Amino acid sequence: MGKGLVYLIGAGPGDPGLLTVKAREVLETADVLIYDYLANADFLNYAKAGAEVIYVGKKGGDHTLPQDKINELIVAKAGEGKIIARLKGGDPYVFGRGGEEAEELVEAGIDFEVIPGITAGVAAPAYAGIPVTHRDFTTSVCFITGHEDPTKEKTGHNWEVYAKSTSTLVFYMGVKNLPMIAENLISNGRDPETPVALVRWGTRCNQESFVSTLENVAEEAENRKFKAPSIIVVGGVCSLHDKLGWFEKRPLLNKGVVVTRAREQASGLVSTLGRLGACVYEFPTISITPLEDYSAVRKEIKALSGWDWLIFTSVNGVKHFFNQLDETGLDARAFAGLEIAAIGPATADALVAKGIKPDFVPEKYVAEGVVSGLLERGIKGKKVLIPRAKVAREVLPEELRKAGADVTVLPVYETGLADNDPGPVADALKAGKIHYLTFTSSSTVENFFNLIEPETFHKYKDAVKIACIGPVTTRTLEKFGFEPDIQPDDYTIPALVDVLVQEAAE
Ligand code: SAH
């Protein structure tokens, strides 16, 4: 048995992008992941297949596992020779009890390393436009717990020192005790007019913040119903909040947006929406799977030169067709002499990435609009191959046939109903957290209503705006008794996002 190793890892304050590269590398290779309550648990997706994932966190005062048991668990797992990723919010050594866990490990003779994380006390203010130090305001910064260990006999706080210092004071876990904190600072001599900022859910899509003064902040926090997790910042630097605030200006901040595309296709849309500030609910309604038998595809690939035109209708079509090209031992040279069309810019990009510049990309991205363009290109009487999903709309091949082309459809992948738990999206709908529902194809509509009953959706519809990528998707939506609120003129994902942003600004 090898020697165990424990990594005490800081997961950062919530924005998934604020995990360090080193932390991610360890998460990808660890045998066991032990984690506390985290502002964002997406990191668990980095775990390798078969890794054991154990939640030991606490929410509020509710301990899932007491600290001594957590220590025992870590020691036991490491004793089995395993690599352990012990993940904590923010930084493990800043109010994270990481120090105590490290001491336990030393006593048990277990090797460990620390991967620091971005602490909420720096990140949440930064995202709210507050640099914790600034030469015009302060020469030091002080991190303070607003919730001392209740079993301690003597307080570790020296309010007089905090009050008299010119440090920026950053309180963690302090919202409940905010009246006491403000009172102690004022009674020990801090100016009641000192600016104070509260940042709740810092760095996440639902971040909120406000600035007040020491004498008013407790009442204002109460009025605004500010709760944990919040960072409290006391000091002149808070006056920069309005000038330097950037994160909360994002156009889709705190807007819940459901993405129904297949997981394989969704990453671009998900990250764009995330960058715009949205709280994205990934709810893939479609699964994309390879075919069981590719013999027909390989046969066509070996005889590619017999075709005049190849029309790709989706990124998946490109991906699966090229996979088979590769399997057959061929490369892009097999396309020499053929004319190639891409129905839409994303498909065209996928082809370009494979070294093929499509000869034709229509201006409108629905089958109906494609045919006229191809006719102009002289497709009449030509042999046309369309690699695409096994089940798909027949409009394009039919219209091309009517126009005199000799069309063969070649299935290269299959789509199906994604086996997805509708629970989280249904709960978010009920809680009024969903503002936009996006449909990017007819099958996303059909499968969405397969997973969530139209009657159920109807109850919450008033709070939700539906965005459809184009007229075909809209027609399918209408079959279920709903009208889209948003439909871009250009039937592409970037256009859909643009319209959504415009809508949100209104
Ligand atoms: N080790 C963590 C702190 C754990 S103590 C770190 O370095 O950030 C938990 C407290 O951290 C919360 O009560 C809150 O005050 C603060 N906190 C953690 N994440 C936060 C976030 N995203 N926004 C605001 N405060 C946060």
Side-chain angles (χ1 to χ4, degrees), residues 432-489:
K433 289 186 179 163
I434 306 289
H435 302 89
Y436 297 99
L437 176 58
T438 62
F439 291 120
T440 46
S441 69
S442 285
S443 35
T444 59
V445 178
E446 274 155 10
N447 291 354
F448 179 85
F449 289 115
N450 226 317
L451 293 165
I452 293 187
E453 295 277 320
E455 297 79 58
T456 310
F457 180 65
H458 216 276
K459 284 191 228 154
Y460 309 106
K461 163 71 191 81
D462 288 349
V464 182
K465 296 225 155 88
I466 305 179
C468 280
I469 195 161
V472 177
T473 308
T474 292
R475 256 173 266 146
T476 310
L477 180 71
E478 285 164 353
K479 281 201 300 197
F480 289 92
F482 299 103
E483 290 285 333
D485 302 276
I486 293 168
Q487 189 194 292
D489 293 334

Side-chain angles (χ1 to χ4, degrees), residues 32-287:
V32 186
L33 255 64
I34 301 179
Y35 73 104
D36 275 350
Y37 174 70
L38 298 173
N40 191 322
D42 283 0
F43 311 127
L44 304 179
N45 297 334
Y46 294 136
K48 70 177 178 189
E52 192 181 353
V53 178
I54 308 172
Y55 176 63
V56 295
K58 44 207 161 210
K59 208 176 170 185
D62 220 13
H63 288 240
T64 304
L65 205 61
Q67 187 67 41
D68 56 340
K69 295 276 183 243
I70 297 177
N71 295 348
E72 271 175 34
L73 176 74
I74 298 173
V75 169
K77 292 283 174 196
E80 291 170 22
K82 293 185 168 150
I83 304 292
I84 295 168
R86 168 68 175 117
L87 204 57
K88 287 167 170 291
D91 179 88
Y93 278 5
V94 180
F95 305 124
R97 304 192 74 171
E100 291 160 58
E101 286 177 20
E103 283 182 305
E104 280 294 317
L105 293 170
V106 171
E107 270 160 39
I110 289 165
D111 290 340
F112 75 97
E113 291 182 16
V114 183
I115 303 179
I118 299 184
T119 188
V122 172
Y127 273 48
I130 302 169
V132 289
T133 73
H134 186 295
R135 292 205 300 182
D136 292 346
F137 297 98
T138 178
T139 51
S140 58
V141 54
C142 184
F143 295 134
I144 307 167
T145 172
H147 175 86
E148 234 181 335
D149 180 350
T151 61
K152 258 169 104 176
E153 279 182 15
K154 210 167 156 279
T155 176
H157 287 307
N158 187 333
W159 289 103
E160 204 182 335
V161 171
Y162 299 153
K164 300 233 153 62
S165 84
T166 54
S167 274
T168 301
L169 307 178
V170 179
F171 290 90
Y172 292 67
M173 300 171 278
V175 191
K176 264 198 198 140
N177 291 331
L178 186 56
M180 179 276 281
I181 292 170
E183 173 52 35
N184 277 332
L185 291 174
I186 293 173
S187 62
N188 282 285
R190 263 265 170 137
D191 180 355
E193 295 292 318
T194 309
V196 182
L198 257 71
V199 188
R200 183 169 192 226
W201 288 123
T203 80
R204 296 189 9 147
C205 63
N206 52 344
Q207 172 176 311
E208 292 176 85
S209 63
F210 73 92
V211 177
S212 180
T213 58
L214 255 191
E215 61 182 345
N216 295 328
V217 69
E219 195 185 335
E220 202 165 338
E222 175 82 34
N223 291 343
R224 291 175 183 253
K225 300 197 168 40
F226 252 65
K227 298 204 176 76
S230 296
I231 284 288
I232 302 164
V233 189
V234 180
V237 286
C238 296
S239 60
L240 294 168
H241 171 269
D242 290 350
K243 187 172 175 190
L244 300 187
W246 56 277
F247 186 72
E248 288 169 53
K249 291 189 185 139
R250 295 181 162 202
L252 297 180
L253 188 84
N254 214 356
K255 298 280 184 230
V257 185
V258 181
V259 172
T260 54
R261 308 196 87 186
R263 200 174 293 284
E264 295 81 352
Q265 298 172 303
S267 63
L269 179 57
V270 168
S271 59
T272 306
L273 290 169
R275 271 197 301 278
L276 292 165
C279 299
V280 182
Y281 292 79
E282 266 194 85
F283 185 54
T285 54
I286 300 178
S287 70

Side-chain angles (χ1 to χ4, degrees), residues 311 370-371 374-375 379 384 386 395-407:
I311 303 178
V370 175
V371 177
L374 285 169
L375 270 177
I379 204 159
V384 180
I386 308 181
V395 184
L396 178 65
E398 274 170 15
E399 291 296 312
L400 285 173
R401 279 182 199 121
K402 272 192 227 155
D406 175 5
V407 180

